Amino acid sequence: MLLKTFGWSFGITVIGLALAALYGGWTAFGIVAILAILEISLSFDNAVVNAGVLKKMSAFWQKIFLTVGVLIAVFGMRLVFPVLIVAITAKLNPVDAVNLALTDKDRYQQLVTDAHPAIAAFGSMFLLMIFLDFIFEERDIQWLRWIERPLSKLGKVDMLSVCIAMVVLLVSSFTVAASAHQHGGHHADKGQTVLIAGIAGLITYLVVGGLSGFFENRLEEEEEREQAEEEEAERKGRKRSAMALTGQAAFFMFLYLEVLDASFSFDGVIGAFAITNDIVLMALGLGIGAMYVRSLTVYLVRQGTLDDYVYLEHGAHYAIGALSGILIVTIQYQINEVITGLVGVVLIAWSFWSSVRRNRALAAEGSDDASQEKPEVSSGV
């Protein structure tokens, strides 16, 4: 199971490190290895959240996520995205931007750093919406009940998460964006840039998330109708009409996952410049890390880890909320990538330990269903 799921990741690791050694010797080899570890540590919470969405999809779309999705993640977000940002901010055509990345690495790094306020605003709003929609949703299983119980009641107010996100964006545009960090330690007023980019991130979430939710609901309604008419359908030999609908639902879920991955990758791409400004080494290192994140996502789905450790998804979403806040702060202040990674790791580790304690408590009570929440069982917090 382990080799089947992580086989491609192991293979890409060997190829990527070999290419790095050929490209720049042992120094490049070490840089790529460090970048891969950085990407994995920063994106573990991404894998947990992805698994919560991916488990609803068929085996076919899981394979698409591991193949086409990897190409988008590696070549799109880790290679094309930084170049595209430079092309837009510096008003260059893509060819000149690529040439700049390869021939004038310092200038290229400066342009990407100067574009960070817009990148951070877009990503923070997208991630903040994911966190808010999760925390405001009423659910049977709650981890930090003293937080989640009252917030789930507030979540009954329509569009509350959108209102909060807009307030956060407006405050950010007048505070941290008013003195945004730029290359060389300089600061500049990026209020308008942050506001526009944040609105774009919010719109992206509403469109992609709304479409995926719409088709998912349509799919559930169709499945319920067909289940009620199952005997008649089998007698007439009617084909399952929900196949096309399943494809639509899965496609928009896939699109949602790719945008989610893009938002998670922002801090990794920007943080990579603290290690190297060589776009080739950056693409190799972050690409290897992206492969492991995707393999880990599929592994969590196939092992049923989220069903066994029910607070993991909660911990990952809290990590998303923390990352959203960190991205906003980094518009003005620099935060070490180690801190960003540790925040996610601590929250997920905490939620995992709470899940283990819950399972032990349920087992001690002789529960027949260890996945069913009981009010009297403590989460350990």
Side-chain angles (χ1 to χ4, degrees):
M1 175 65 182
L2 187 65
L3 184 60
K4 181 180 179 181
T5 305
F6 288 89
W8 277 100
S9 297
F10 296 151
I12 293 297
T13 301
V14 173
I15 294 173
L17 291 175
L19 290 174
L22 291 174
Y23 176 78
W26 289 109
T27 300
F29 180 96
I31 291 174
V32 169
I34 292 172
L35 287 173
I37 295 172
L38 171 69
E39 177 69 10
I40 294 171
S41 64
L42 289 175
S43 301
F44 185 81
D45 48 353
N46 187 10
V48 177
V49 176
N50 283 352
V53 179
L54 196 65
K55 67 180 181 181
K56 303 175 184 178
M57 301 167 68
S58 65
F60 169 78
W61 279 99
Q62 290 180 11
K63 290 180 180 178
I64 293 294
F65 179 74
L66 270 179
T67 52
V68 178
V70 165
L71 292 177
I72 295 174
V74 175
F75 295 101
M77 287 309 304
R78 276 73 179 181
L79 183 60
V80 177
F81 172 73
V83 174
L84 184 62
I85 287 296
V86 169
I88 294 174
T89 56
K91 298 180 180 179
L92 300 173
N93 63 62
V95 176
D96 290 339
V98 172
N99 184 61
L100 182 68
L102 295 175
T103 60
D104 192 350
K105 297 181 176 63
D106 290 336
R107 175 60 178 163
Y108 172 75
Q109 179 179 352
Q110 175 184 344
L111 292 172
V112 174
T113 301
D114 290 345
H116 175 67
I119 299 171
F122 181 96
S124 64
M125 286 302 102
F126 189 90
L127 295 176
L128 180 60
M129 283 298 299
I130 294 174
F131 169 70
L132 291 176
D133 279 351
F134 178 86
I135 203 69
F136 285 142
E137 181 180 352
E138 189 172 0
R139 57 187 72 249
D140 295 331
I141 297 177
Q142 295 178 336
W143 179 33
L144 305 180
R145 293 188 180 90
W146 58 279
I147 295 177
E148 297 174 18
R149 186 170 292 170
L151 289 181
S152 65
K153 295 179 180 179
L154 286 175
K156 296 178 181 179
V157 179
D158 290 339
M159 305 299 292
L160 179 61
S161 58
V162 177
C163 293
I164 291 177
M166 288 299 297
V167 170
V168 171
L169 179 60
L170 284 173
V171 172
S172 301
S173 66
F174 287 107
T175 54
V176 291
S179 183
H181 177 80
Q182 299 286 272
H183 185 79
H186 303 293
H187 291 80
D189 188 350
K190 292 285 184 177
Q192 183 178 3
T193 300
V194 166
L195 191 61
I196 294 173
I199 292 174
L202 182 60
I203 292 173
T204 301
Y205 174 83
L206 293 175
V207 171
V208 178
L211 286 173
S212 62
F214 169 76
F215 283 106
E216 184 181 0
N217 292 336
R218 286 278 303 275
L219 176 60
E220 292 176 355
E221 293 174 1
E222 184 69 14
E223 287 177 343
E224 290 177 0
R225 184 186 63 81
E226 287 197 357
Q227 186 176 4
E229 300 175 354
E230 184 177 357
E231 293 183 1
E232 180 182 354
E234 290 178 356
R235 185 174 64 254
K236 294 182 178 180
R238 185 177 63 188
K239 294 183 179 179
R240 183 178 178 85
S241 59
M243 288 301 292
L245 189 60
T246 302
Q248 289 177 327
F251 171 76
F252 282 105
M253 283 187 185
F254 171 77
L255 184 60
Y256 174 80
L257 283 175
E258 292 307 315
V259 178
L260 177 63
D261 176 77
S263 299
F264 270 103
S265 69
F266 291 153
D267 60 330
V269 172
I270 299 300
F273 281 103
I275 299 173
T276 181
N277 57 9
D278 192 312
I279 190 173
V280 175
L281 298 181
M282 194 180 301
L284 288 173
L286 297 181
I288 292 173
M291 279 295 303
Y292 279 99
V293 172
R294 269 161 166 64
S295 295
L296 180 60
T297 298
V298 174
Y299 181 81
L300 292 174
V301 172
R302 293 175 178 173
Q303 291 292 104
T305 305
L306 298 185
D307 295 328
D308 295 335
Y309 303 97
V310 294
Y311 298 133
L312 268 181
E313 197 168 0
H314 294 71
H317 278 86
Y318 279 104
I320 286 177
L323 177 57
S324 173
I326 289 173
L327 281 173
I328 292 175
V329 173
T330 59
I331 293 175
Q332 183 173 356
Y333 304 101
Q334 288 183 299
I335 297 180
N336 193 288
E337 291 73 29
V338 174
I339 296 176
T340 305
L342 283 177
V343 169
V345 170
V346 168
L347 286 169
I348 291 175
W350 182 14
S351 64
F352 175 79
W353 175 240
S354 296
S355 300
V356 171
R357 293 186 61 184
R358 171 186 181 274
N359 292 344
R360 288 176 178 174
L362 289 173
E365 293 177 3
S367 174
D368 295 328
D369 185 5
S371 64
Q372 182 178 355
E373 180 71 4
K374 292 186 177 181
E376 67 272 19
V377 177
S378 173
S379 65
V381 293

